[in-house]
Every structure is written in C-alpha cells, then in structure tokens.
Amino acid sequence: MKPILEVRNIGKKFRLQHQSRGYLSLRERLVSAIRFERNETEDFWALTDVSFDVQQGESIGIIGRNGAGKSTLLKILSKITPPTTGKIISRGRTASLLEVGTGFHPELTGRENIFFNGSLLGMKRKEIKNKFDEIVDFSGVEKFLDTPLKHYSSGMQLRLAFAVAAFLEPEILIIDEVLAVGDAEFQKKCLGKMEDVSKSGRTILFVSHNMAAVQSLCTKSILLKNGKLQFINFSTEVIQEYFNQIEGNLKNHSGILEFNQNNSTKPIKKIEILCDGKNSNTAHMGCQLEIRVHFKTTTYLDAPVLGVIFKDGQGIPMIGVNNKHYAGNIAEHPISEGCISMSIPYLTLFEGVYHTDIHFGNGYSDYEILQDCFEFTVEPLKFASGEIPDKRFNRLFIKEIEWTLDSK
Amino acid sequence: MPEYIEYKIEPPSTAKILHWKELWLYRELFYFFTWRDIKVKYKQTLLGFLWAILQPLFMMIIFTFFFGRALNIPSQNLPYPLYVFSGLLLWNMFSAGLTNASNSMVNNAAIIKKIYFPRLIIPVSSILVALFDFLMGFGIYTGLLVYYAQPVAWSAAFIWPLALILTVVATMGLGSWLSALNIKYRDFRYVIPFLVQVLFFLTPVIYPVSMLKYPFLQYILVCSPMYAAIELFRYPLTDAMPDIYFMTASLTSGVVFLFIGIFYFKQTENFFADYA
C-alpha cells in the first residue's frame, strides 16, 4: 500500500531583510528602485532536504529545539505556505490544527462560533449539525451557547475551541503545540481525545515540546535540527537522542555552569550545583542539594524569584518549586546583582538522570528561562541492610520511615 | 464516504489558473465568511439590519437637498431623489464591497496564517456582504418607485440583474487586486478611501455625464468600470439609450481590471501567510 504522505526533499527559503523595518512599504520599494539600490538580503533556509514517508494510521511526533523548523514543516504540510524545493504527495483529507480557536470571533455567540470554526477546519455544515450536541457536551458550555464569546472566560473559550477540533474526522491530522495551553486537567482530556483519534486508524502528525505527550501518542518520531531531518525512529529512541544532544555539551559539567557573561538582556550569569556543600553534577539520594544562581540585571528587582523544575529522563516534571510560593519575597532591598540560591535539606528524587529548568524573574514575568539547562545524576544510596529499594517501584525517595512490629 | 483525494504540494509554478474544482469543494466557506461578516456587522446595534436601509436613504436625502434643489442638477427627466437613489444603490455596493475586500485579507491575517483554504474566498465573501446590503436597499428602491409612480420598462427584469453583475465584476477586479496589494504594502490602507472618493465623483452617481461640457472629461469618466453598471441600471426608468461607445469603454475597463485583479491575486496568494 502506498504511504498516505510522501515528503520528498522539502526545503523552504526565507529572505531576511537587514533593514529591520517590519512591513514592506511601497515608498522603500520605489526609492530603492530609483536608486538602483539593492536591499541587503540574506537567504535563510528554514528547512533543507527533508524527506520521509508516513503510512496510514501512523502517529508521528516531530521534535527539535526552538527554530529547528518544526512549525515551518507543519505549515508546508498544511498548504499554508509553499515549499521552495521538493514536493509532497498526500493521499487523504488533511486537517490542520496549528492553533485552537482559529477564526473565533468575540462578537459571535458560542453557537455561531462552533459553526464558523468548524467550517474553517473543513467540516461540512451537515457534519457540524450532526455533531453539534456532542461538541457542546464535550466543551461543557451549553449554558452560554447564546452568549457572545467576548463574555466567556479564557478557559471556556479554550474548551469550546478544542471541542470543535476534537470532532474533526480527517484522514490526516496535523497538530502543533496546541497542548501547551490550558490547565493540567484540560491537557489530559485533550491527550485522551487524541489517543482515541489515533486508535481509530487515522494518521497524526504532532509537534510538541512535551516529550511525555509525544511518547504516549506517537509510535515514531522525527528529530529536526537546524532545518534538517536528523533522525527518524521509534519515539523512545528519538526522544533519548534529543535529550542527549541538548546536554551533549553540558553533560560533563562539574557542577558549575557559566552563561552569557556579556549579554545584558540575559541576567543569569552562573549556576552552581552543590551536593552536601561540594560542586558536583552528581548527587546521591537524600543528600543536601543546593542550587545557586548568580545574576545581574539592568534594572533593580524588588523581589527576585528563582524557579527550579526537575524532570525525569522522559521529560516528565517531578518537582517544581519557587521561592515566591515557599517564602514570599526574600529581598530586603531592591537588588540588581547577586546570588539567589535554594537548598533542599534532603533530596527526595530516586536514582536516575534528571533534567533541570531554571526560571528567573521578578515574580510577575520571567526574565530568563533556561530549559533543560543541566542534567545531573542521582546515585543510589545504600541502606543499612546494604540493599536499596527497587527502581521499578520507586520514583521518589523517602529517607526515613519508621517501621514497627507489635506482637499480640 | 470521504472523497479520495490525492494532491501534491509543490513550489508554486508561474502559470496558474483558477482552481474551480477546489473552490467548489470549499463552497460552504463562501457562505460562512459572508454569514459571519453580516452577523458581526450588525451585532450590538439597536437598529440592526435597518442600517442597511437607512444609510442610502439618508445619503439620498442629503444629495437631493444640496444637488437637486440647491444646484438644480439635471437628472434625465427622473425625479432627482430617484435618480440619486438608483445610482447610490449600486455605488454603495461597489464602494462598500471594494473597501471591505481591500481590507479583508489583512483583517483575516490570523486565519490565513493558520488554516489553508482558497484565499479568493475572503475578498469574494466580503463583496457578498455588500450584496446583502444592496438587496435590503433594493426593497426601499421599489418602494420609492411606487411612491413616485415611476413607469418601469419590462426589460428591467434582465437589465437590472445584468447591471448588478457588472457591479460585482467591477468590485471583484479592483477588490481582489487591492486586497493582495494591501497585504504586501500596507500603504494601500490609506490609498483606498481616497480612491473610492475620487471614483465617486468620476462616476455618474449624482449627476449625468451629459452635464460635462468637455468631451475629453467625458471620455475619462466613462472609463470608470461603474459607469456602465449605473447607466444600465437606470435605463428601464429613463428609456434613454446609453452611448454605445461609452458603454464599451466602461465594460472593457471592468473586464480588464477583473483579469488583472484575479491574476495578481493568484500570483501572490501563496505568500500571503509569509507577508501577513
């Protein structure tokens, strides 16, 4: 059987203008035509020579760092922008969901928006009518169906938007990062719905930074790097490769990482990881873990906030903390340069490899986010018995448990 | 059963004609875009659809007062209010359609960047919105005809629709061209109101072409693609046969603009998402 999607040598070139004036204006065009002046342009290939096949019923994840070309690839696959080179042969009805709620109009009521949005996504009027009740049920906004959308809360808008998209029935569904929005429960609901879709034999192309979602939804994945297809294989392996690459140069750190010394827009200058008081990239279960972030900002901060997220090898967050939640404002006076640190008396992570996100900000917005900025290993700890709890049953480590035995 | 579709996505080739088949496949979107724009237009208004009637009516009253009474402009033996209204009815459709269409691509940029459909649907739908206003106004027009006991030739049954088609052609041509230009060069946002204003005075909406003493000016005027439409629209009332050369000039300009407009639109449509 022929593959449902054949992607052959796709490339996309953008022309960068080095005038930084935003929109093209006619005057500039005319003036430069008269002066025989050539705008300084530079060609930028967002994608080069990307080829792959997708079989009917397969779910493919597309991963890569920001700027790797994921969104450009999806835009080409959904016919929004044409490729510069190569071709794609598609053998099915395609619907793309690059954003939830495209075309939602604040003045229209919920009911009207369902029809307009559904039709934009490629549903026929009859289809929408048939599924209308289900859509409304799924969204849970039946009470507000005849209220203009502008009076909806953002959560309600999101639910309604996803509900419409959830009832699409194309043979190929292209989804971009739509799960990045909404609360945890909503995300779970969306993922569940998407799993149903993929189980019903339809083909899904899914872009996400959420490795856990890619892992559970997609059997195969594609890794893009700098516009090139680097690796295509089973998701587990591709995700592993992705993490390896990210940390390739950070893996062998000694517990001290230095950044952006001369970049004033990026405040984080240095990060230190200390285990029991010593700089190290390995910790052991139950040790005292300290993370120090040295920063320098251009303006004074009233309340600096450090956020730290530990994620496991699959990218699933394990612990996420910040000082705003735990201690409130810890600054006695406004500060522009210093070191903010967190110290955990004993580390509750089980043995394994962990990735860390660092957020630094003023409590309202992040000044800098370092995603997966370092990896550290938690070594097992031997108990008095000489044995350790089984890794299969533990993700967290509890240092002290009182065991008692009473005889009757 | 879902239709079996196999299509290719390739770098755009230069010689590309209209994809009638694809437009047909997406036919419901014409309806939905038009429906949305009409709904949105009259949302949160007290008078709602009445505005579609009130606007030309007020304009007619003002023009009648200033041009008909004060300046005594001839009106081909029609009561001046009727003369103006018949012109305004088509003109408003043209000017509203042109303005809506020109801004339509920019206004819908968010959708263009996220979903594929034949882009031509957007300017066409915004012209259909103007058509809706025309139909509302047409109701008033028939009322006025009865009020002034104006005899209407039977030929109106096919001449009026023909005039309407000419208006749509004129609006389509300029509208699709300007909408594509507007998305690339935002300068056109400022050019359009000015252009519409100039065309208004260059078209026999409120005065007949015969009023002009210089034949040279007449020749310029009849190049307006709306000239033929408005003259034809009045023909069943006045029974004055329009000048055949003038009509040809106007018709030709309408058709030329239609081809230029659609051709330019199709040439650039692939890159709308990149420019928007």
Side-chain angles (χ1 to χ4, degrees):
Chain A
M1 195 181 162
K2 281 182 182 171
I4 195 161
L5 205 59
E6 283 178 46
V7 179
R8 290 285 171 273
N9 311 94
I10 286 295
K12 174 79 182 174
K13 183 172 74 178
F14 286 107
R15 187 153 289 164
L16 301 179
Q17 280 203 326
H18 288 299
Q19 288 201 319
S20 65
R21 288 214 194 128
Y23 294 118
L24 282 172
S25 93
L26 202 55
R27 188 180 68 94
E28 278 166 34
R29 260 291 162 90
L30 293 175
V31 168
S32 56
I34 291 166
R35 285 193 195 151
F36 297 105
E37 197 178 74
R38 281 184 42 216
N39 276 350
E40 258 187 62
T41 55
E42 187 193 324
D43 289 343
F44 166 72
W45 286 88
L47 284 176
T48 37
D49 207 21
V50 173
S51 306
F52 58 91
D53 282 349
V54 181
Q55 300 295 337
Q56 167 101 44
E58 260 184 337
S59 298
I60 306 268
I62 299 170
I63 59 179
R65 306 197 76 167
N66 287 336
K70 302 182 299 281
S71 294
T72 308
L73 180 60
L74 286 202
K75 279 195 172 175
I76 292 171
L77 285 168
S78 11
K79 295 214 281 179
I80 291 166
T81 182
T84 314
T85 61
K87 68 172 180 183
I88 294 170
I89 298 172
S90 163
R91 300 193 173 86
R93 204 159 77 116
T94 309
S96 49
L97 201 56
L98 303 193
E99 177 189 67
V100 271
T102 309
F104 263 30
H105 199 291
E107 296 287 347
L108 296 180
T109 66
R111 183 190 305 276
E112 289 161 348
N113 269 309
I114 291 178
F115 274 94
F116 184 65
N117 185 244
S119 155
L120 262 184
L121 291 173
M123 283 194 247
K124 297 264 166 266
R125 193 145 58 120
K126 241 172 70 189
E127 260 180 276
I128 306 174
K129 267 188 187 152
N130 289 340
K131 290 180 189 156
F132 189 79
D133 292 332
E134 280 179 89
I135 292 175
V136 173
D137 253 12
F138 190 80
S139 70
V141 297
E142 55 268 64
K143 261 210 272 185
F144 307 95
L145 264 189
D146 294 306
T147 313
L149 198 78
K150 58 183 174 184
H151 301 309
Y152 280 39
S153 74
S154 53
M156 279 156 66
Q157 288 188 19
L158 202 61
R159 286 209 302 272
L160 186 67
F162 192 81
V164 181
F167 289 90
L168 275 175
E169 279 176 356
E171 283 126 44
I172 306 171
L173 185 60
I174 299 174
I175 308 171
D176 191 8
E177 205 71 83
V178 282
L179 293 172
V181 290
D183 53 28
E185 194 195 345
F186 175 75
Q187 292 193 5
K188 218 171 125 189
K189 199 169 166 185
C190 299
L191 259 180
K193 186 75 199 174
M194 273 165 32
E195 266 166 41
D196 292 349
V197 171
S198 82
K199 271 179 203 141
S200 68
R202 272 169 279 164
T203 309
I204 297 183
L205 287 164
F206 179 50
V207 159
S208 183
H209 283 118
N210 181 345
M211 294 302 144
V214 173
Q215 172 88 331
S216 71
L217 197 66
C218 309
T219 41
K220 275 167 88 179
S221 286
I222 290 171
L223 178 61
L224 287 180
K225 190 181 179 187
N226 299 332
K228 293 196 177 69
L229 191 147
Q230 243 199 345
F231 195 40
I232 173 163
N233 209 325
F234 293 107
S235 294
T236 334
E237 281 162 53
V238 178
I239 291 171
Q240 200 49 54
E241 175 66 22
Y242 171 71
F243 278 124
N244 288 348
Q245 281 188 9
I246 282 181
E247 276 136 13
N249 46 352
L250 294 169
K251 216 169 191 174
N252 302 319
H253 66 84
S254 56
I256 301 176
L257 298 158
E258 306 215 25
F259 301 90
N260 333 305
Q261 292 308 330
N262 300 315
N263 189 341
S264 61
T265 59
K266 307 233 165 136
I268 299 180
K269 300 298 172 203
K270 191 165 119 181
I271 297 177
E272 288 183 78
I273 304 106
L274 295 99
C275 175
D276 285 336
K278 272 183 283 184
N279 283 111
S280 167
N281 68 340
T282 47
H284 55 81
M285 286 156 52
C287 79
Q288 185 223 1
L289 184 80
E290 187 177 352
I291 290 177
R292 291 186 190 154
V293 173
H294 300 262
F295 62 90
K296 187 179 178 185
T297 53
T298 45
T299 51
Y300 277 87
L301 281 169
D302 288 324
V305 172
L306 169 67
V308 179
I309 302 167
F310 295 122
K311 300 188 291 192
D312 72 3
Q314 297 299 335
I316 297 166
M318 300 298 291
I319 295 173
V321 292
N322 71 43
N323 58 288
K324 194 183 171 190
H325 294 156
Y326 276 71
N329 187 5
I330 52 173
E332 284 164 6
H333 49 79
I335 183 169
S336 72
E337 189 173 0
C339 168
I340 182 165
S341 76
M342 68 162 253
S343 171
I344 303 173
Y346 77 89
L347 187 61
T348 52
L349 293 172
F350 206 75
E351 68 159 299
V353 177
Y354 293 88
H355 310 282
T356 315
D357 292 354
I358 299 282
H359 292 236
F360 179 75
N362 63 0
Y364 300 101
S365 56
D366 286 316
Y367 283 25
E368 190 173 355
I369 299 172
L370 294 170
Q371 259 188 15
D372 298 313
C373 75
F374 66 84
E375 175 184 278
F376 69 97
T377 318
V378 176
E379 302 285 354
L381 177 81
K382 282 217 165 103
F383 283 88
S385 64
E387 285 178 44
I388 51 170
D390 196 321
K391 209 182 163 184
R392 282 179 300 165
F393 307 120
N394 286 284
R395 303 183 75 184
L396 292 177
F397 166 62
I398 302 169
K399 196 176 184 179
E400 284 166 15
I401 299 175
E402 271 182 37
W403 308 93
T404 51
L405 175 67
D406 294 328
S407 56
K408 272 193 180 166
Chain B
M1 270 311 279
E3 38 229 297
Y4 179 78
I5 305 168
E6 176 172 330
Y7 61 86
K8 276 185 189 173
I9 302 172
E10 276 175 312
S13 51
T14 39
K16 209 174 153 193
I17 40 151
L18 277 178
H19 266 293
W20 291 107
K21 209 176 141 193
E22 195 186 31
L23 282 175
W24 176 246
L25 231 99
Y26 282 90
R27 60 191 178 275
E28 282 193 349
L29 265 188
F30 284 103
Y31 166 80
F32 274 109
F33 267 103
T34 312
W35 170 84
R36 179 198 68 172
D37 286 347
I38 292 173
K39 283 249 168 180
V40 169
K41 195 171 170 190
Y42 298 108
K43 275 273 154 111
Q44 235 179 37
T45 55
L46 214 57
L47 298 178
F49 293 138
L50 267 182
W51 280 113
I53 298 166
L54 288 177
Q55 276 171 329
L57 210 57
F58 284 144
M59 276 173 88
M60 177 199 82
I61 292 168
I62 290 167
F63 283 126
T64 306
F65 188 75
F66 284 105
F67 294 93
R69 293 278 155 75
L71 292 175
N72 239 329
I73 285 175
S75 53
Q76 297 178 315
N77 299 327
L78 289 179
Y80 191 77
L82 260 187
Y83 182 81
V84 169
F85 199 88
S86 56
L88 276 179
L89 202 55
L90 283 188
W91 176 261
N92 280 348
M93 151 124 195
F94 173 73
S95 74
L98 185 61
T99 313
N100 293 349
S102 307
N103 293 321
S104 60
M105 296 301 288
V106 174
N107 291 343
N108 288 302
I111 297 177
I112 294 171
K113 280 195 258 187
K114 297 290 179 191
I115 290 181
Y116 174 79
F117 51 88
R119 305 311 191 193
L120 204 57
I121 292 176
I122 291 183
V124 171
S125 304
S126 56
I127 291 167
L128 293 179
V129 175
L131 187 63
F132 173 81
D133 284 356
F134 169 86
L135 293 176
M136 303 287 282
F138 192 78
I140 292 293
Y141 184 57
T142 47
L144 280 174
L145 288 177
V146 172
Y147 177 81
Y148 285 100
Q150 174 67 39
V152 179
W154 282 112
S155 57
F158 66 89
I159 285 194
W160 279 347
L162 188 65
L164 189 60
I165 290 170
L166 289 184
T167 310
V168 172
V169 166
T171 321
M172 258 311 288
L174 277 173
S176 56
W177 192 10
L178 286 173
S179 70
L181 281 168
N182 199 9
I183 209 158
K184 207 167 169 189
Y185 306 105
R186 300 292 156 97
D187 308 66
F188 282 92
R189 193 195 312 224
Y190 307 106
V191 175
I192 292 155
F194 179 70
L195 184 76
V196 169
Q197 195 68 262
V198 169
L199 277 175
F200 178 71
F201 290 110
L202 287 183
T203 308
V205 182
I206 51 172
Y207 62 89
V209 176
S210 56
M211 227 188 103
L212 296 168
K213 298 288 180 291
Y214 307 100
F216 175 69
L217 269 182
Q218 290 188 359
Y219 286 121
I220 293 183
L221 251 69
V222 297
C223 282
S224 158
M226 280 303 287
Y227 170 81
I230 290 179
E231 286 291 289
L232 259 187
F233 193 66
R234 285 191 187 124
Y235 175 60
L237 275 64
T238 57
D239 220 22
M241 194 59 194
D243 186 303
I244 189 80
Y245 294 110
F246 287 1
M247 290 298 281
T248 318
S250 175
L251 281 175
T252 313
S253 93
V255 173
V256 167
F257 275 122
L258 183 70
F259 277 105
I260 294 178
I262 294 198
F263 184 73
Y264 186 81
F265 191 92
K266 294 300 289 182
Q267 282 290 300
T268 44
E269 84 172 321
N270 278 310
F271 298 99
F272 286 160
D274 298 340
Y275 285 123

